[in-house]
Amino acid sequence: ISTLKHAYRLLKKGGILFIVTPNIGSILANITKRRWLHLKPDEHIYYYSPKTVRILLNKANLKMVRWKPIGRVRNLEVIAYKSQSYSKIPYAVMRSVGLLPVLRKISFNLNPLDEMMVIAKK
């Protein structure tokens, strides 16, 4: 809340705050539980859902204008690497047969709906 209040003070009237954060309320987070890829204690101290973000923004006198799930562009090597939290075998096999350089060249938009973009206004 203190960070959001500080952002409020920095914004001009009608100013926009843009936030991107993992969505702990997502279906993927609820299905994968402790194996959810966004559970990173060194990176994320708190986790939010659209509901909790709205509550915090309101406490800082900011109004949530919009939120939506967002994705990102990933190459297949990164996806294979990150999938190790579920099973280490596929990545190890791909690495041992020399497939990783090929996977690195294949990219596409990936949206598991577990990250959200939030737009708030002063």
Side-chain angles (χ1 to χ4, degrees):
I1 294 172
S2 64
T3 301
L4 291 173
K5 286 181 177 181
H6 183 68
Y8 177 88
R9 288 189 298 273
L10 294 173
L11 288 169
K12 294 179 181 179
K13 185 177 179 181
I16 299 291
L17 177 65
F18 183 84
I19 302 168
V20 174
T21 188
N23 179 358
I24 192 75
S26 70
I27 293 171
L28 188 60
N30 285 296
I31 291 171
T32 57
K33 301 194 184 301
R34 289 181 290 137
R35 291 180 173 246
W36 185 42
L37 292 175
H38 286 296
L39 290 178
K40 305 171 193 170
D42 295 340
E43 195 173 315
H44 300 290
I45 300 169
Y46 302 106
Y47 295 89
Y48 308 99
S49 69
K51 180 181 177 181
T52 58
V53 169
R54 184 183 307 277
I55 290 168
L56 293 172
L57 289 169
N58 287 340
K59 288 184 178 188
N61 293 318
L62 293 160
K63 181 183 179 202
M64 184 187 292
V65 176
R66 181 162 189 224
W67 83 270
K68 75 175 205 170
I70 60 167
R72 63 180 68 172
V73 174
R74 287 282 192 237
N75 68 50
L76 288 178
E77 181 196 13
V78 170
I79 294 167
Y81 178 79
K82 288 183 174 275
S83 71
Q84 290 184 99
S85 65
Y86 306 110
S87 173
K88 297 196 182 306
I89 296 169
Y91 186 79
V93 169
M94 289 180 232
R95 186 179 60 229
S96 68
V97 298
L99 198 55
L100 296 181
V102 174
L103 296 178
R104 195 173 298 130
K105 295 177 183 177
I106 303 168
S107 298
F108 58 92
N109 189 31
L110 177 67
N111 190 353
L113 306 175
D114 64 343
E115 286 188 58
M116 61 181 163
M117 175 252 350
V118 177
I119 299 174
K121 192 171 186 178
K122 181 172 180 177

